[in-house]
Amino acid sequence: MDESPPKVSLLDVVRREIRVRHLSLRTEQQYVYWIRWFVRHNRGRHPRDMGATEVESFLTMLATERRVSASTHNQALSALLFLYRAVLKQELPWLDRLERPKRPMRLPIVMTVDEVAAALAHLDGQHALLGRLLYGTGMRIMEALRLRVKDVDFARLTLIVRSGKGNKDRALMLPQALVPELRVQLAHSRSIWTRDRADQRPGVEMPEALERKYPRAGESWAWHWVFPQATLSRDPRSGNRRRHHVFDQTFQRAFKRAVMAAAIDKPATPHSLRHAFATHLLQAGYDIRTVQELLGHADVSTTMIYTHVLKVGGMGVRSPLDLMLNTQSRPATLSANG
């Protein structure tokens, strides 16, 4: 009887290496997508039998034929670099020669205070709380959805963002106005948690190291989601049916409808609330370093984009046409003899 171990596919190895490094599920999905496309583009050849020519040809195709954005192009390049370095364990000279396209500097879509108020007025229930939370704290949408009960501190009016972008934690203000709504939301979340425990369902998703060290922690109230999904879903990694947090697409669709209902003529998204948070704080006189820390930016140059927004209309310079027309419309003054 042949008892040789079953063959492991390349993409399975990719997934394993990603999980060993504790990268996010979204990163795993993106990397697998690009590596699969790269292999198919080269008619199924194994990447170890390919090199600089095939990689550069694939990236050129994305840029010239598919006309992908610089950020998408960089994402594909990162996936291929991970494939060769982390999976195939190849450190080849040509890997360092691959150039990343420069991302153009784009001014963010920033809503005015009145526009934010109008959009939020067209959200209801849990979505209304989420919208106010994003605008009131500057959190990214996934940071808000991944909030755990233990990360809400009513006594200090503080929210803790765990493992944000760059795998960094940061502390944010909890808007006083949201305290009553958050308490109601937590009561709703606790009722779901109580039902799950009574039904002996698996606990919520935990960071891998903690799940191994504290196997029952995912069943505790402290680690439960502030915004749990109403129904169970299958964990794409473990295969368990468990309680996930609210899906980001659900809120994105609700916010899009709210923007349309408010007749806002800007392509605003939930991330626009984060932009509005930063810009409105700077307008209120807060210094840029404070805003940088609240947003979780590693470099202040990233936060500086909002100072450009404040200088809209020619960097704050008044047009000579307005000056001329203003002078012409000014009433003539009478002379002393007149």
Side-chain angles (χ1 to χ4, degrees):
M1 177 181 288
D2 184 9
E3 295 184 358
S4 58
K7 288 186 176 181
V8 180
S9 71
L10 173 66
L11 294 182
D12 285 339
V13 178
V14 171
R15 293 186 182 96
R16 183 187 66 202
E17 293 297 329
I18 288 174
R19 294 173 190 182
V20 164
R21 289 163 176 77
H22 305 294
L23 301 181
S24 70
L25 176 61
R26 188 160 293 186
T27 299
E28 177 181 321
Q29 293 168 337
Q30 291 168 344
Y31 280 16
V32 167
Y33 170 81
W34 288 115
I35 292 169
R36 180 184 284 121
W37 190 355
F38 173 63
V39 171
R40 287 179 176 174
H41 179 72
N42 289 281
R43 300 184 179 182
R45 292 172 61 197
H46 198 285
R48 65 168 169 263
D49 300 324
M50 297 186 278
T53 302
E54 289 80 8
V55 171
E56 290 173 351
S57 173
F58 178 69
L59 295 174
T60 300
M61 178 273 295
L62 293 179
T64 58
E65 296 179 22
R66 296 303 178 102
R67 297 183 179 275
V68 300
S69 67
S71 59
T72 301
H73 195 276
N74 277 324
Q75 187 184 95
L77 174 56
S78 295
L80 296 182
L81 290 176
F82 183 86
L83 169 66
Y84 278 94
R85 287 175 172 158
V87 179
L88 301 179
K89 314 297 183 186
Q90 295 183 13
E91 276 293 344
L92 301 174
W94 57 267
L95 287 174
D96 295 322
R97 295 199 301 267
L98 296 174
E99 294 187 7
R100 294 180 180 271
K102 293 182 179 179
R103 298 178 64 176
M105 190 185 80
R106 306 288 189 197
L107 292 179
I109 301 297
V110 177
M111 305 164 72
T112 66
V113 174
D114 289 342
E115 287 171 336
V116 171
L120 295 181
H122 285 87
L123 294 171
D124 52 28
Q126 188 172 249
H127 290 153
L129 173 57
L130 265 172
R132 286 193 279 271
L133 192 62
L134 295 181
Y135 175 61
T137 64
M139 279 192 286
R140 300 174 179 90
I141 183 172
M142 291 307 298
E143 292 173 342
L145 294 177
R146 288 172 179 159
L147 275 177
R148 313 268 187 166
V149 173
K150 66 182 182 61
D151 298 325
V152 181
D153 188 338
F154 289 111
R156 293 187 176 90
L157 289 179
T158 302
L159 297 171
I160 304 296
V161 172
R162 305 286 183 183
S163 301
K165 194 170 183 179
N167 201 28
K168 296 179 294 186
D169 295 355
R170 70 183 191 278
L172 300 174
M173 79 292 279
L174 168 56
Q176 182 85 48
L178 293 184
V179 169
E181 292 177 76
L182 260 180
R183 289 193 183 278
V184 171
Q185 176 62 32
L186 285 173
H188 168 68
S189 177
R190 190 174 182 94
S191 68
I192 292 176
W193 172 79
T194 302
R195 189 166 65 247
D196 285 350
R197 300 286 63 76
D199 295 339
Q200 298 184 334
R201 289 169 176 158
V204 296
E205 178 190 7
M206 294 280 291
E208 289 187 20
L210 286 175
E211 192 156 29
R212 289 192 297 270
K213 190 173 182 179
Y214 306 109
R216 302 293 297 273
E219 299 175 10
S220 68
W221 167 238
W223 281 92
H224 197 63
W225 306 115
V226 173
F227 296 101
Q229 183 74 5
T231 57
L232 299 179
S233 57
R234 190 169 300 282
D235 189 311
R237 286 182 167 173
S238 69
N240 293 330
R241 282 184 59 80
R242 58 171 27 141
R243 186 77 54 185
H244 198 56
H245 57 67
V246 170
F247 296 127
D248 56 327
Q249 296 94 333
T250 305
F251 179 70
Q252 286 167 352
R253 288 192 289 267
F255 188 77
K256 183 177 181 179
R257 291 192 296 269
V259 169
M260 294 177 63
I264 297 172
D265 298 325
K266 292 177 180 176
T269 66
H271 204 68
S272 301
L273 296 173
R274 175 174 163 87
H275 296 322
F277 165 85
T279 307
H280 298 168
L281 280 184
L282 290 173
Q283 285 176 327
Y286 288 93
D287 67 274
I288 196 165
R289 291 288 182 181
T290 299
V291 177
Q292 175 196 355
E293 290 184 13
L294 291 171
L295 292 175
H297 288 161
D299 195 312
V300 73
S301 62
T302 307
T303 319
M304 288 289 290
I305 189 69
Y306 298 107
T307 64
H308 294 293
V309 176
L310 293 175
K311 297 176 183 176
V312 292
M315 304 296 285
V317 177
R318 194 173 181 192
S319 168
L321 177 63
D322 288 332
L323 293 173
M324 180 188 72
L325 294 177
N326 186 57
T327 302
Q328 290 177 343
S329 62
R330 194 178 302 159
T333 56
L334 295 175
S335 64
N337 298 325

